[in-house]
Each structure stands twice: as structure tokens, then as C-alpha cells.
Amino acid sequence: MNRTAFFTDERTFWHTGGTHALLFPVGGWVQPPSSAGYAESPDSKRRFLSLVQASGLAAQLDLRSAPAATTDDLLRIHPASYLDAFRALSDANGGDLGDLAPFGKGSYEIAALSAGLAIGAVDAVLDSRARHAYALSRPPGHHCLRDRPMGFCLLANIPIAIEAARAKHGVGRVAVIDWDVHHGNGTQSIYYDDPNTLTISLHQDRCFPPGYSGDADRGAGAGVGANLNVPLLAGSGDDAYRYAFERIVLPALERFRPELIVVASGLDASAVDPLARMQLHSDSYRFMTRAVIEAAQRHCAGRVAIVHEGGYSEAYVPFCGLAIVEELAGVRTEVADPLLELAIEQQPGERFLAFQRGLIDELAASFGF
């Protein structure tokens, strides 16, 4: 119970999206990449895990793998027709069944393993085998719809884990906080009419899915009010996330009183990510993690499971991820973030911050805070 559990598996790094340059298929006017190529490559995650190990932090964690999600686990979220089509194409030579979600041969089994790591993380905190847990899941999951993959996401990892926990543990009210820089549209769509699952997405306005912000969405039916979107202006940076936590995220958790908090942890809101334009740094992620832990201590006996989502800067993802896991474990290593001082100096000016705070105040008022 004293250690933070960290779930990872080498096989998740073997998933491939095929031959791409960033996110464009190679061909026509798109030249083959010179190195890693595909944005959702394993490299940032490998380097994150490597830094956890090289820093000595791994010795303070319960490092483990988990079984792949079973067909029954997947069927709680995804229809058999989608799973059958996904498996058939994966068994052949891969392809793409959705929007920017290509996969190669064998990716069905790897995606099921990625979902299994999320299940393992949630199960560990509910079974009191760990204080907190982190799942280094890959491929990610928060864009995946019930019947259609999207944005590198092939299975809805977090909903699969939540429903497995409900089946096994009978857990009721679950809050999902999504700080990936892209809108958590998949998780939102799955729980859109569910009053027992609070979904909060903090994301860059109109980044991905294209042109979509989600700010007008509040849920439907019994789920009205249990779906909160916080679209932030491009470049809004550290202050916007801290203020959004103060004005929206923490009051929402206070009102909802969850039995479990799950975080969709994208690290692509960092100052150097190639797929977004925000300005976060490792201390931003450290702050958000600490805020979630403290909220969980007030509401749900400290039960927090964090599941990895996006993050495409090979050099900087490791430092942001390490900050999160250090907070979970209550350990500070000797690692120094080489970008931190510069990222702090390049935060937006006072007039921009005041304008963004005003927009957050308007959102908070619309949510009743």
C-alpha cells in the first residue's frame, strides 16, 4: 500500500501506425521520414520509462505489467461488430477504420494489452494494493468512440477500465479528468448521458478533432451537468490550467464527490509539443497531479489512477511524465528539467492572462461555480 504502482509492458511499444511523416501517410508530396516518422511513435514513451529507471525512481515504485483486456471487458464499451472488424484487419496487414487511427499487423492484441494496463491501474487502487497507479498505456484511448477509432486511439482504455471496475468492485461515481491537449471527445461520447461518470476535459480550443471545442456540450438526459469542457486559448500556458483547476475542476469534484478519480494524462500541452500550441512545463503537471491527489484524499480515500494518453515531444515528454510519477510516489529525484526556466520565462503576459481568466470565469459561471 505504500508504493505507487506503475504499469508498463514492452509489447505496447511494438504497435505501429505504418509509414507516416508526423501524421500524414507517406506518398504523393509527403516524403518518407528520415527517422521516427509517425507522431504517435513509441519513442517518447520509451524515453519516459527510461528516465523513470535511470533516475532511480523505479526502485521506489511497484513496476509491473497486467493481462490484456478480455473480450468481455471490451464488449462493455465496444460493439462486437467493431471488435470483429478491428481484429480481422489487424490479423491481415493493418489499416485504418476511422479518422487518423492507422494500425499495423497485430495491433488488436497490443491495444487490448494497453487497455489491460489501464484496468490494472484502476484495479490496484481499488484493491488497496497501491496508493496511486500510473498506466503507461499505448496506443492511447481518449478519442476512440464506441464503434470508431480516432486520433491514434483504437480502444477506449479508460472507459474499459472504469466498467471493468464497476463489474468487479461495484464502484459508482467516477470522475475522469482529461488534461491531454486535445479534446477528450471519445470518453465524453461514451458517458454523455451517464450521471455517475463526471468527465472534465481541459484542452486547446479547436485543435483536435478539427474545429471542435466541446464548450457547448453539457451532457444529455440524466447526464446533463456531468460533462464539462474547458477549451483554452492556444498559448494560454501554466496560469490558465492552474486557474481552471481553481475555478472549475476542484469545485466540480467537490460537487460530484467521486469514489474514484481517473486522469487521462496527455503530455502534449507542453511548450514544445509538435501537435499543439500550449505552454505547459513539468511544474504544471506536477501542480495538477498534486491537486488531483489532494482532491482524492478529500473525496475518495486518495484513489487516483492515471492513464497515459498523448505527448509527442520525444525530448520533453520524459520530464513531464517524471514530474507526475514523482508526485504520485511522493519522491523527488535528482533529475532537473532542462527546459523549465526557459518555459517559465516564455509564459504569456498579464493582458493575455487576464483575458483567459475572464473566459474561464464565464465558463465557471455557466457550470454553476
Side-chain angles (χ1 to χ4, degrees), residues 9-16 40 66-71 73-74 78 82-83 86-87 90 97 101-119 135-141 144 149 152-158 160-161 307-308:
D9 195 292
E10 170 65 23
R11 290 169 292 173
T12 62
F13 302 138
W14 291 35
H15 161 66
T16 177
E40 206 292 292
T70 66
T71 300
D73 292 328
L74 303 182
H78 299 289
Y82 170 61
L83 297 177
F86 181 10
R87 185 194 291 271
S90 170
L97 293 168
F103 55 90
K105 185 177 177 65
S107 283
Y108 180 92
E109 287 77 16
I110 298 174
L113 176 56
S114 180
L117 297 179
I119 291 173
L136 187 54
S137 294
R138 180 181 181 266
C144 189
F152 311 147
C153 299
L154 303 173
L155 294 172
N157 297 331
I158 287 175
I160 289 166
V307 180
H308 199 90

Side-chain angles (χ1 to χ4, degrees), residues 161-212:
I162 290 172
E163 297 312 311
R166 284 175 167 152
K168 180 178 179 180
H169 298 282
V171 67
R173 299 170 73 79
V174 179
V176 181
I177 302 169
D178 189 330
W179 61 50
D180 188 289
V181 80
H182 306 113
H183 181 250
N185 63 298
T187 311
Q188 170 184 289
S189 70
I190 289 166
Y191 290 119
Y192 201 60
D193 57 358
D194 182 356
N196 293 313
T197 308
L198 172 67
T199 59
I200 307 174
S201 177
L202 301 98
H203 51 271
Q204 180 181 319
D205 190 18
R206 303 178 193 281
C207 185
F208 188 90
Y212 189 67

